[in-house]
Amino acid sequence: MKIMLSGMREPENISALAALNIDIMAFSFKKDDPRLIKMISSRAGIIPDFSEDRLKKAGQDIDGITPQKADFTKVGIFADDMPQNIVTRIYNYDLNAVWLDGSENSVMIDNLRRTVVPDIKPQLTVIKAITIANDHDLCQCSQYEGHADILLLKNKPGEEIAWSVLDNYQGATPFIIGGDITPADAPRIKAVTNPLCQAVCLGTHFETEPGTISPEAVARFLKALK
């Protein structure tokens, strides 16, 4: 199962995490998020250059995990933002994918894709977040079939992850397990058998502070998943 990290902001922290062979990293462009990456000029270094030397220094042998060359999908997190803002950030940060975390509908997704592909990017992966607490909430997923490429299924704030609901997912669109994943959830993640489950998203419970994720905590989680 792939690992997705969300909410990084500091270049050295990003480098250290990239050294763990992380598959997907998501950067927040949500206006009220303390992890917000502010708009800056293209190639200004907020998403750093991952030279072999920097990787070696940043992530060498973290808790037994051997550093590897950085090669991850870059995702921008947005919530009910204006399409022109999303397009600008896709271009400036060379994003491979967008994570839509608000009330965006299928029409908005289709329009965004048409704007970006192929003139700005040859392809764009669209991840649509959906909050679920019961089986009825899964009904929301059908409206994004054929529009979103991946769904991110997450719990309601302050509530436990609805593992039984995830087990009942029968849609055709691949999904990512999101929400309040904790280090203690590794056994439950390992028990997921749905072939459409592509990744697990780690965030808040792996932070040392907003915008900084602990490489050591992630490395321990990776070992627990093996």
Side-chain angles (χ1 to χ4, degrees), residues 31-84:
K31 296 176 183 178
D32 297 328
D33 192 338
R35 301 157 189 81
L36 170 70
I37 292 181
K38 295 181 179 179
M39 195 61 185
I40 55 175
S41 60
S42 181
R43 315 298 184 198
I46 193 70
I47 299 177
D49 173 35
F50 298 104
S51 67
E52 292 294 334
D53 182 61
R54 287 190 68 181
L55 282 176
K56 211 172 199 180
K57 291 177 180 178
Q60 190 166 11
D61 295 328
I62 297 175
D63 199 24
I65 302 295
T66 303
Q68 301 185 39
K69 183 178 180 181
D71 183 17
F72 58 83
T73 298
K74 287 184 288 186
V75 180
I77 308 173
F78 305 90
D80 297 316
D81 206 340
M82 292 185 292
Q84 57 265 40

Side-chain angles (χ1 to χ4, degrees), residues 21 45 100 130 134 153 220:
N21 199 31
L100 302 178
I130 297 177
N134 51 54
L153 305 179
R220 288 192 294 271

Side-chain angles (χ1 to χ4, degrees), residues 42-43 83-98 111-125:
S42 181
R43 315 298 184 198
Q84 57 265 40
N85 288 341
I86 299 175
V87 172
T88 299
R89 285 158 175 77
I90 290 171
Y91 177 80
N92 276 8
Y93 293 95
D94 192 26
L95 300 176
N96 310 109
V98 293
N111 288 339
L112 176 64
R113 197 188 302 276
R114 279 194 292 267
T115 302
V116 173
V117 180
D119 294 334
I120 296 173
K121 300 281 290 187
Q123 60 183 21
L124 179 72
T125 298

Side-chain angles (χ1 to χ4, degrees), residues 120-224:
I120 296 173
K121 300 281 290 187
Q123 60 183 21
L124 179 72
T125 298
V126 177
I127 302 168
K128 179 67 185 82
I130 297 177
T131 301
I132 59 170
N134 51 54
D135 288 338
H136 178 72
D137 290 335
L138 287 176
C139 296
Q140 302 174 69
C141 299
S142 61
Q143 64 182 295
Y144 297 104
E145 296 281 1
H147 302 281
D149 300 292
I150 304 172
L151 301 178
L152 189 145
L153 305 179
K154 61 180 184 176
N155 58 294
K156 292 183 177 180
E159 296 185 7
E160 294 185 1
I161 295 174
W163 295 107
S164 61
V165 178
L166 289 173
D167 291 337
N168 293 335
Y169 176 77
Q170 296 181 347
T173 304
F175 68 94
I176 295 170
I177 301 174
D180 295 327
I181 301 294
T182 73
D185 287 324
R188 189 61 184 81
I189 298 293
K190 288 177 68 174
V192 175
T193 59
N194 192 318
L196 289 176
C197 181
Q198 291 199 339
V200 57
C201 182
L202 312 181
T204 305
H205 292 287
F206 291 80
E207 289 182 325
T208 55
E209 60 181 335
T212 301
I213 289 179
S214 167
E216 292 78 15
V218 173
R220 288 192 294 271
F221 189 83
L222 290 174
K223 289 181 68 176

